[in-house]
Amino acid sequence: MIPVSVLDLSPVPEGSTTADALAATIELAQHTETLGYHRYWLAEHHNMPGIASAATSVVIGRVAAATKTIRVGAGGIMLPNHSPLVIAEQFGTLATLFPDRIDLGLGRAPGSDQITAMALRRNHASSDRFPEDVVELIGLFGNSVEGQPVRAVPGEGTHVPVWILGSSLFGAQLAAHLGLPYAFASHFAPDALEQAIAIYRERFQPGITDRPRFMLAANVWAADTEAEAIRLKTSQQQAFINLRSGQPGKLPRPVADISAVADPRYVAMADHALSVSATGDPGQVATGLARLIDRYRPDELILSSAMHDPAARRRSYEIAMDAMKSLHSAPCTAE
């Protein structure tokens, strides 16, 4: 079975607080660890009432402290918002506290709007330095050399595994050039997925890793019945429509019929963006995940399951893991 991991934005449901969301994140991390998930990644977003993981490294530390074996990391840190030294110190500290359990995924987008990006004290051109900043950051995780003017302490010598994240072709090209593992944000931006995979695999030059390693991000809305899974999915559909309409908020409550609360054109837009997904009862989710794996041949799968009810979200990850195990154990048949 290919490794399967968790992507958590620590969603803040309507009627709940950020404290509730962070508590649900800890509970989900502990639960998915017992289920056998490989990694638990959190994402950096700012100025969003519905996402509680803005201080991503802090939340990662809390999740790592509350678990024992699951790898914990960022999916991702938006490097243009920070200096490489600060991130090297933060994740070097995490790697020192939790050896061999910390990952660092790096993205080029701000994870916010431009006004918020400026409030983070970085200029508009910072994203242009992304390749150089990635190289600098990796160097700070390496062994120190005599006369090195700037050192990350903690950080140096930790060799924190670095992934490049992307939703366009740029990240695929950079990851291939640097010989780094690559994760595509297909759970919300599927349009360039196939081309990005092809570029990454075709242009890969051995570097930190000796072969391409591709992680596919997918949504999963799983429940004991198809009707319940479709209902639970409406929370994410509404949230995506609200975000694209310039009205981000907390994760909405699910509704019986999404067409009753949203214009069909917006629903179609959301469904396209969220199309790399598996929705339904256990059998349908197994079929959906099998199709994604067969089509894209990922080395790893990372699943996002945003739901208003934390208990339903935990159940969704249970069903998804059972589905992955069923695919692994299914007998092969000759064509």
Side-chain angles (χ1 to χ4, degrees):
M1 188 176 81
I2 65 172
V4 57
S5 299
V6 177
L7 176 61
D8 180 17
L9 273 62
S10 198
V12 186
E14 288 181 349
S16 300
T17 66
T18 53
D20 296 326
L22 292 170
T25 281
I26 299 303
E27 191 171 7
L28 180 62
Q30 293 171 328
H31 185 59
T32 51
E33 179 178 58
T34 65
L35 294 173
Y37 281 85
H38 184 52
R39 309 178 199 271
Y40 195 98
W41 279 8
L42 293 129
E44 176 187 356
H45 292 279
H46 300 280
N47 195 27
M48 293 190 180
I51 296 176
S53 57
T56 315
S57 61
V58 177
V59 183
I60 289 170
R62 181 65 184 89
V63 169
T67 53
K68 295 181 176 64
T69 58
I70 195 169
R71 297 192 65 86
V72 188
I77 289 294
M78 302 298 106
L79 194 54
N81 296 336
H82 315 275
S83 75
L85 177 60
V86 167
I87 298 304
E89 291 171 340
Q90 290 178 1
F91 280 79
T93 300
L94 289 167
T96 302
L97 292 169
F98 308 102
D100 301 318
R101 289 185 59 205
I102 301 299
D103 302 319
L104 175 56
L106 298 173
R108 186 173 64 131
S112 61
D113 55 72
Q114 289 301 320
I115 295 174
T116 307
M118 291 302 295
L120 291 165
R121 305 295 188 266
R122 297 285 275 174
N123 61 50
H124 289 292
S126 59
S127 61
D128 296 336
R129 280 194 47 83
F130 182 67
E132 293 84 357
D133 285 348
V134 170
V135 172
E136 180 182 342
L137 176 54
I138 292 172
L140 289 167
F141 285 138
N143 298 326
S144 62
V145 297
E146 185 176 354
Q148 183 174 333
V150 178
R151 299 164 58 188
V153 182
E156 64 182 23
T158 56
H159 304 283
V160 174
V162 172
W163 292 67
I164 297 297
L165 313 183
S167 58
S168 68
L169 304 184
F170 179 88
Q173 295 167 337
L174 180 62
H177 177 71
L178 296 178
L180 291 171
Y182 177 57
F184 193 88
S186 36
H187 61 301
F188 73 88
D191 289 341
L193 172 58
E194 294 199 35
Q195 191 176 0
I197 296 172
I199 287 174
Y200 174 62
R201 288 172 172 158
E202 291 168 4
R203 301 185 186 180
F204 183 85
Q205 302 174 28
I208 292 178
T209 59
D210 59 3
R211 63 177 181 83
R213 182 166 183 83
F214 169 67
M215 181 189 290
L216 176 72
N219 301 289
V220 61
W221 294 284
D224 293 311
T225 66
E226 179 185 14
E228 178 62 4
I230 292 172
R231 188 185 75 88
L232 292 169
K233 178 181 177 179
T234 62
S235 291
Q236 184 63 25
Q237 290 171 303
Q238 293 176 80
F240 192 88
I241 292 168
N242 292 342
L243 178 63
R244 289 294 175 91
S245 302
Q247 299 176 318
K250 293 185 177 182
L251 187 66
R253 291 178 173 84
V255 295
D257 181 6
I258 187 65
S259 65
V261 297
D263 186 302
R265 294 171 298 176
Y266 292 124
V267 174
M269 173 195 67
D271 286 346
H272 171 73
L274 304 172
S275 60
V276 179
S277 62
T279 306
D281 63 27
Q284 291 169 317
V285 167
T287 298
L289 293 177
R291 286 173 177 165
L292 292 175
I293 293 167
D294 184 62
R295 179 172 180 177
Y296 300 112
R297 300 293 179 185
D299 300 290
E300 188 166 334
L301 192 63
I302 188 165
L303 302 177
S304 176
S305 188
M307 293 181 175
H308 186 273
D309 178 6
R313 185 165 64 140
R314 293 193 298 273
R315 177 62 181 145
S316 182
Y317 278 107
E318 287 177 9
I319 293 171
M321 179 54 80
D322 287 344
M324 291 295 293
K325 290 178 179 177
S326 72
L327 297 179
H328 177 64
S329 62
C332 296
T333 57
E335 293 187 8

